[in-house]
Structures are given as C-alpha cells and as structure tokens.
Amino acid sequence: MAGQTDNKTEKLLAILKLQPVVPVLIVDDAKSAVGLARALVAGGLRAIEITMRTPAALDAVRAVADEVEGANVGAGTVLNARDFDAAVKAGSTFIVSPGSTPGVIDAAKASDIPTLPGAATASEVMTLREAGFGVMKFFPAEQAGGAAYLKALSSPLAGTLFCPTGGVSLKNAMDYLSLPNVVCVGGSWVAPKEMVSAGDWDGITKLAAEAAALRG
C-alpha cells in the first residue's frame, strides 16, 4: 500500500499522544519561535505544529528543531511535495496537510517522516485509508460538522483516528477528546497573537498547562 507504513504510523501516534492539544502556530517572526516553543514545552505541550503560511515558517521550524529541548516540531499547511521536502530538511519530525493530493501522498511515501493528511468527508477518509493512512487531520473541524459528524464516522470507518483542527477551542475541545476516534485536537488558542507579539511567555505557558490538563 502507498502512504504510511505501520512504523511511520507508530511514530506519528507517539508524537500525537504526547498531549491532548497540539498547538497550531502561525509564526511571523522566526526570532520569536524559540521563546514561544519553550513556553509551550514548559506548559506540557511538546508536539508543536508551525504552519507554512508565512515566509518565516521554515526558519522557525529550523530554530525550534535546533534549539528547543523536548520539542517535537512539525510543519503544517504543507500543500505540495516541494514544501514537504523543504519542511523535512528544516527539521520537521512530522508533516501536516489540510487535505491530500497525489503529490503529497507520494512525498509521504518516499519520506521517513510521518504525515498527518487532512480529510473532511467520508469519501476523503476512505481514499486516504486505501492509500495506507489510518491517522488523519479532520479539517476544518467545526465547519465540516464538528464533533457530532466525527462521532458519526466512528462506526462505519472504525479504526481510523483523527486530530480535529479548525474552530477547536478550550470550550469545545472535550467534545472531541471524549470521542473514541480522536487521538488529540489541534488548536491555536494556546498561543494568542497578542501574547506572542508581547513576548508573554509566562502567559502562554499557563494556557499550555491548561490545555495539557485536558483529558479525553
């Protein structure tokens, strides 16, 4: 089968199971990435997704991978094989995509780095399962039907695990984490833009600790 081997799936699950919430970060300044990542790790969130949405993203991944002890940094919003390869070279320990394309799946197959591909419909989940993926990002979670939709998938698509992302917050995180097919959630609320801009690392550590205490 194409896609993810059992070994890569185990590597991915080992990262995702470190915590109930994976911070999803948009980093505008690579210089702030190290302080931000250290604050998140101090709060108990060691798996960190830096999205490839800004020019600073690759430098941020590289800095966190090189300088932040205890962090498992991944690259998110990976849209093609070129970005996949660049993220891996920067030091990403996992790759996240909002959806899936043949190019991304081929890149995942050729790499030793595990991938969390995105799916929003039953057909997309089935397609990824046929490609060898058993763990997926459910995105955009709230807009695609929320926890009720994901619960409905748990029986016909048994054995598939999800990391819901998109519209997930402290208020609704447990709606997802209580589901049998959810391994963790992704969220940006643990690193508010204003706190990052102000360098309020203590405040972010408190938010991270609050998120880390959530349990499904």
Side-chain angles (χ1 to χ4, degrees), residues 173-201:
M174 283 306 301
D175 294 342
Y176 292 98
L177 291 169
S178 63
L179 298 177
N181 55 346
V182 169
V183 63
C184 63
V185 299
S188 58
W189 83 86
V190 293
K193 190 172 184 179
E194 60 273 14
M195 279 190 174
V196 176
S197 297
D200 184 4
W201 308 138

Side-chain angles (χ1 to χ4, degrees), residues 104-125:
V104 171
I105 289 175
D106 286 346
K109 180 181 177 183
S111 176
D112 291 331
I113 301 302
T115 300
L116 182 71
T121 68
S123 294
E124 290 170 359
V125 173

Side-chain angles (χ1 to χ4, degrees), residues 130-159:
E130 286 188 0
F133 294 90
V135 187
M136 304 169 200
K137 173 179 180 175
F138 177 52
F139 177 83
E142 282 292 284
Q143 295 83 352
Y149 180 88
L150 205 51
K151 182 179 181 180
L153 294 183
S154 63
S155 181
L157 297 171

Side-chain angles (χ1 to χ4, degrees), residues 18-41:
L18 287 171
Q19 62 217 33
V21 180
V22 175
V24 179
L25 311 177
I26 299 175
V27 178
D28 294 311
D29 179 6
K31 293 179 181 177
S32 69
V34 170
L36 172 56
R38 284 175 175 158
L40 292 167
V41 171

Side-chain angles (χ1 to χ4, degrees), residues 40-158:
L40 292 167
V41 171
L45 303 184
R46 293 187 286 155
I48 298 166
E49 176 189 336
I50 295 176
T51 60
M52 302 275 281
R53 301 184 194 181
T54 70
L58 283 174
D59 286 337
V61 169
R62 191 174 295 109
V64 173
D66 290 344
E67 300 179 40
V68 182
E69 185 176 354
N72 280 270
V73 62
T77 321
V78 173
L79 305 180
N80 51 57
R82 182 184 65 252
D83 289 347
F84 190 112
D85 292 340
V88 170
K89 289 177 181 176
S92 297
T93 60
F94 63 102
I95 299 293
V96 185
S97 64
S100 63
T101 65
V104 171
I105 289 175
D106 286 346
K109 180 181 177 183
S111 176
D112 291 331
I113 301 302
T115 300
L116 182 71
T121 68
S123 294
E124 290 170 359
V125 173
M126 290 168 65
T127 298
L128 285 169
R129 279 166 59 111
E130 286 188 0
F133 294 90
V135 187
M136 304 169 200
K137 173 179 180 175
F138 177 52
F139 177 83
E142 282 292 284
Q143 295 83 352
Y149 180 88
L150 205 51
K151 182 179 181 180
L153 294 183
S154 63
S155 181
L157 297 171

